[in-house]
Amino acid sequence: MTALVVPAPTSARHLSKAVMWITAGVSALVAFGIFAVLSAAGISEGFNIVAAVFVSAILFVLLSYVLSRIVEGRRKASDRLATGLVTTAFIVALLPLVSLVSTAFVNGLPRLDPLFFSSSMRNVVGQGGGGLHAIIGTLEITLAATVISVPIGIMTAIYLVEYGTGRLARAITFFVDVMTGIPSIVAGLFAFALFAIVLGPGIRFGIGGAVALSILMIPVVVRSTEEMLKLVPNELREASYALGVPKWLTIVKIVIPTAIGGIITGVMLSISRIIGETAPLLIIVGMSTSMNYNLFSDRMATLPVFVYTQYASQGSDAQAYIDRAWTGALVLIFIVMALNLIARLVSKLLAPKGLR
């Protein structure tokens, strides 16, 4: 009886990582070389690194597809093409953010000095001065808006997920959706009209800006918290009810701690949404060149309005105003980044042990 001989499988041809790295390097050299020539010839104004990175990514996708089609076959080439397109889409989405941060960093670095963080713009008409008054105003108004918005938003979301039924829940959901899309200047006009009726026309103070920003912040908190609460498995609630735990205690001890990471992330997204708003603060808070720590009295400076006024109302030394505007924008970016890092740390510390 003859034995059946099974031939050993032949090793499929495969592009090594070294080849892919070489392909990426060639693509980058070609793209950067093209834009360097265009810049040297005066066809383009300066070297456009963002466009060069984008073109190099496109060239890499095309070259890797052609090489894979020749060496590995149609199926593997199609897989590489799809992966390359997804990666290119990610790069395209990331490029504006990288470009914005790098531009703000390069232009804001000249005035990122101790004087900017230790002085205001009082009696300054040229060089010098700083943005301490605007930094303090931004932090105070944003903190006040957060204190107003977070309890209202979280409790509204708890009602919609855990208790809400019928017309009232549908009405709340409808108005939350409407509030999500209102222009920021409308929130500022509403806050101004509200306080003008109570305190008289021409009112300008920080707490009014906090109320205006809370109108923009509450819908984001409600929506994000609602989605996080819906992700909590119903089995956890049912197990708690089976042990005789009341519903309110189940929400406090089981549901909210399970979703706390996502809730904090949603709160930070809402803070990032409002911290850069300019129009409502121009209307209800105004602008000041001096320090003002009191939210309930007189005008206050905020970083978005500071950046706007420095750029829009340039004095005799225009470059000094532009430098302060860029530095204010860079400091605002740093504040948002710091808040997000703190939120990630807090959400990790507060999350249940099994979810850390």
Side-chain angles (χ1 to χ4, degrees):
M1 183 175 180
T2 58
L4 180 62
V5 179
V6 179
T10 58
S11 58
R13 291 182 296 176
H14 182 73
L15 292 175
S16 63
K17 291 184 178 180
V19 173
M20 301 309 297
W21 280 110
I22 293 173
T23 305
V26 171
S27 303
L29 285 175
V30 172
F32 278 76
I34 292 173
F35 282 92
V37 171
L38 293 177
S39 177
I43 299 176
S44 63
E45 184 178 352
F47 183 81
N48 195 335
I49 188 171
V50 174
V53 171
F54 174 71
V55 172
S56 64
I58 296 297
L59 288 177
F60 173 72
V61 172
L62 295 176
L63 288 176
S64 61
Y65 174 75
V66 172
L67 288 175
S68 180
R69 186 67 184 266
I70 295 172
V71 175
E72 297 175 322
R74 183 178 62 83
R75 291 186 61 183
K76 188 64 177 178
S78 300
D79 179 69
R80 287 189 182 276
L81 178 62
T83 304
L85 291 176
V86 172
T87 306
T88 304
F90 169 74
I91 293 174
V92 170
L94 198 62
L95 281 177
L97 175 62
V98 174
S99 176
L100 184 148
V101 173
S102 61
T103 304
F105 186 81
V106 170
N107 291 281
L109 193 60
R111 276 306 321 273
L112 197 68
D113 51 27
L115 181 63
F116 187 87
F117 295 96
S118 60
S119 62
S120 65
M121 287 298 297
R122 185 174 184 177
N123 299 327
V124 177
V125 294
Q127 293 185 357
L132 177 62
H133 60 313
I135 297 172
I136 296 298
T138 294
L139 294 178
E140 287 188 359
I141 292 176
T142 304
L143 178 61
T146 304
V147 171
I148 296 171
S149 305
V150 170
I152 296 174
I154 291 179
M155 286 190 288
T156 302
I158 290 174
Y159 171 79
L160 291 175
V161 175
E162 304 293 338
Y163 297 97
T165 56
R167 293 183 178 179
L168 180 59
R170 290 195 296 269
I172 293 174
T173 302
F174 172 76
F175 283 113
V176 167
D177 292 337
V178 172
M179 290 175 63
T180 304
I182 64 171
S184 60
I185 194 170
V186 175
L189 289 171
F190 168 79
F192 179 78
L194 174 65
F195 287 106
I197 292 172
V198 178
L199 302 174
I203 184 68
R204 298 286 192 282
F205 57 169
I207 195 64
V211 171
L213 295 181
S214 67
I215 296 173
L216 303 173
M217 187 175 177
I218 287 174
V220 182
V221 177
V222 172
R223 273 281 167 250
S224 59
T225 304
E226 186 180 0
E227 294 303 321
M228 290 302 104
L229 294 177
K230 287 179 178 178
L231 292 177
V232 177
N234 284 326
E235 289 78 4
L236 294 178
R237 298 180 177 87
E238 294 171 355
S240 179
Y241 298 152
L243 294 174
V245 180
K247 187 169 186 176
W248 70 270
L249 192 57
T250 299
I251 295 172
V252 173
K253 294 293 186 178
I254 303 296
V255 177
I256 293 180
T258 304
I260 191 64
I263 292 174
I264 293 177
T265 302
V267 170
M268 294 313 304
L269 287 175
S270 64
I271 293 176
S272 302
R273 160 79 169 84
I274 66 167
I275 198 170
E277 289 292 345
T278 307
L281 301 180
L282 272 172
I283 294 173
I284 185 62
V285 180
M287 179 59 187
S288 173
T289 59
S290 303
M291 297 294 300
N292 179 15
Y293 299 98
N294 191 352
L295 284 170
F296 300 91
S297 175
D298 210 357
R299 300 168 182 261
M300 293 185 71
T302 54
L303 278 173
V305 180
F306 173 80
V307 172
Y308 169 75
T309 54
Q310 289 295 304
Y311 185 80
S313 304
Q314 299 173 15
S316 57
D317 190 356
Q319 189 59 44
Y321 285 79
I322 294 175
D323 288 343
R324 284 193 292 265
W326 277 113
T327 305
L330 182 60
V331 172
L332 191 60
I333 292 173
F334 285 157
I335 291 175
V336 174
M337 292 174 61
L339 290 175
N340 278 276
L341 291 175
I342 293 172
R344 287 182 176 273
L345 179 62
V346 171
S347 62
K348 185 175 181 180
L349 292 175
L350 295 180
K353 292 183 178 180
L355 299 178
R356 292 179 184 176

